[in-house]
Amino acid sequence: MKLGIVGYGNLGKGIECAIRQNDDMELAAVFTRRDPETVSILTEGVPVYPAEKAVEMKDQIDVLILCGGSATDLPEQTKEYAKYFNVVDSFDTHARIPEHFANVDAAAKENGNIALISAGWDPGMFSLNRLYGNAILPEGKDYTFWGKGVSQGHSDAIRRVEGVADGKQYTVPVESALEAVRSGSNPDLSTREKHTRECFVVAEEGADKDKITETIKNMPNYFSDYDTTVNFITEEELQKNHSGIPHGGFVIRSGKTGWEKENTHIVEYRLKLDSNPEFTASVIVAYARAIFAMKQDGMTGCKTVFDVAPAYLSPLSGEELRATLL
């Protein structure tokens, strides 16, 4: 199975590493909007081409993996590349998934290709666990907690504040809220009650730290709805203690069964990730395998993780799966 990568940032590098761990796959090419001469990849002998050259290689690539951003890249790229390739993306703007799905579905079906959007851990693995929980325990409530982990969008928002030289932001679940959910009491929790936000900021020399703190804490859509802590540290401390991109979280379904709903059940799925982009990449690569197999079975159009039978994700045969994992 020959894979191509569009975009070689943190996610693209993660895809390259994940391909190396799967014996039924190989990296065919990397496509970039940068000057290919400036992009050095890890896999020897694999070419790096300008992004516009991708279409010329449509007969040499089984699945093209798109590693652009959800804000502006993927809404245009996925529907365009789906005209020429089987594609997978990690589109994660939840509110716009139906619109994105419709656009990609039309392009893929018209050209006889298959696409999978929104692969990753949320949306993706967390989505599956919400679906399983709802289907199995219809009398119940869903809870999703994120963290402790680095939010790249919120970290970027911090760095745009006047007087900030650099910074990282962590989303942190509130332990008491987690305990309340795990108790089976099905609490109603506000945004502020579920998560806090921790900011680590390197201030520019002479900057007004009180003003930076107030600006961050009152930032709408990012921090104003949360209890937010702002810590000022040195650039050296930031590099030493906050250079990684960890993340994770929990999906919990708390539900009742029995004639009088007398029994409580808690279903919990947890992720604890050293590297958000590398885990996301590993999910994407498994779904690339799935849509390649689904295309061979005659399927076209756009899919999500909800549409993929688990057996399609594995390199093992049905017989091997039944013998070893069932």
Side-chain angles (χ1 to χ4, degrees):
M1 186 180 158
K2 298 185 184 300
L3 301 180
I5 298 172
V6 176
Y8 195 70
N10 288 328
L11 183 59
K13 291 175 185 175
I15 297 289
E16 182 184 20
C17 294
I19 291 171
R20 188 183 187 210
Q21 295 180 351
N22 288 275
D23 294 338
D24 58 337
M25 302 177 178
E26 65 176 286
L27 180 59
V30 171
F31 303 97
T32 178
R33 288 180 294 196
R34 289 178 276 168
D35 178 355
E37 296 295 324
T38 68
V39 177
S40 177
I41 69 171
L42 301 171
T43 311
E44 290 185 12
V46 172
V48 180
Y49 295 123
E52 56 270 20
K53 188 177 174 64
V55 175
E56 298 175 25
M57 296 186 64
K58 64 186 181 71
D59 296 327
Q60 301 171 52
I61 291 173
D62 296 310
V63 179
L64 189 66
I65 297 175
L66 308 177
C67 299
S70 295
T72 56
D73 294 335
L74 295 178
E76 298 303 321
Q77 287 180 352
T78 309
K79 66 183 180 183
E80 181 62 26
Y81 283 117
K83 296 175 183 177
Y84 309 100
F85 298 93
N86 305 311
V87 298
V88 183
D89 79 15
S90 59
F91 185 78
D92 66 358
T93 307
H94 289 262
R96 294 189 63 193
I97 285 175
E99 169 196 349
H100 185 54
F101 181 95
N103 292 336
V104 175
D105 189 49
K109 280 180 176 172
E110 185 177 336
N111 295 279
N113 293 321
I114 187 168
L116 188 131
I117 64 164
S118 303
W121 58 275
D122 198 0
M125 304 309 293
F126 274 16
S127 314
L128 284 174
N129 282 275
R130 286 189 284 263
L131 186 152
Y132 287 137
N134 276 263
I136 294 164
L137 295 171
E139 278 291 337
K141 292 182 71 172
D142 284 329
Y143 298 90
T144 301
F145 293 87
W146 297 280
K148 182 179 180 180
V150 173
S151 171
Q152 296 184 78
H154 286 69
S155 298
D156 183 63
I158 288 174
R159 290 191 287 269
R160 293 172 186 268
V161 171
E162 184 180 352
V164 172
D166 203 350
K168 278 275 180 80
Q169 186 270 325
Y170 294 85
T171 301
V172 184
V174 175
E175 196 60 39
S176 60
L178 266 171
E179 290 173 5
V181 171
R182 288 170 175 153
S183 75
S185 63
N186 286 1
D188 293 319
L189 298 170
S190 68
T191 296
R192 189 178 297 274
E193 289 172 320
K194 287 195 294 183
H195 297 92
T196 61
R197 298 200 178 275
E198 290 183 3
C199 306
F200 293 87
V201 174
V202 179
E204 294 175 352
E205 191 172 346
D208 186 336
K209 293 182 178 179
D210 290 338
K211 184 179 179 182
I212 290 172
T213 299
E214 286 305 305
T215 301
I216 291 172
K217 287 188 172 185
N218 294 307
M219 194 182 297
N221 302 320
Y222 287 92
F223 298 104
S224 60
D225 293 333
Y226 299 86
D227 290 337
T228 301
T229 304
V230 179
N231 305 284
F232 289 95
I233 60 175
T234 65
E235 182 67 39
E236 290 75 23
E237 287 176 290
L238 187 75
Q239 295 305 318
K240 179 181 177 182
N241 300 322
H242 305 282
S243 60
I245 316 175
H247 220 315
F250 309 81
V251 170
I252 302 172
R253 179 72 176 179
S254 175
K256 303 283 188 179
T257 62
W259 194 253
E260 300 294 337
K261 304 177 188 174
E262 62 269 26
N263 292 310
T264 298
H265 309 275
I266 308 292
V267 181
E268 181 172 336
Y269 177 75
R270 180 186 183 188
L271 291 176
K272 189 172 184 293
L273 314 175
D274 275 354
S275 170
N276 179 357
E278 287 183 8
F279 183 83
T280 300
S282 297
V283 176
I284 289 170
V285 164
Y287 277 94
R289 174 187 292 114
I291 66 161
F292 180 57
M294 291 163 73
K295 174 68 182 300
Q296 290 177 316
D297 284 349
M299 301 182 210
T300 61
C302 192
K303 312 293 178 186
T304 73
V305 295
F306 296 146
D307 305 306
V308 178
Y312 278 121
L313 296 168
S314 175
L316 301 179
S317 68
E319 182 180 17
E320 290 169 320
L321 289 171
R322 290 186 290 274
T324 58
L325 297 181
L326 191 57

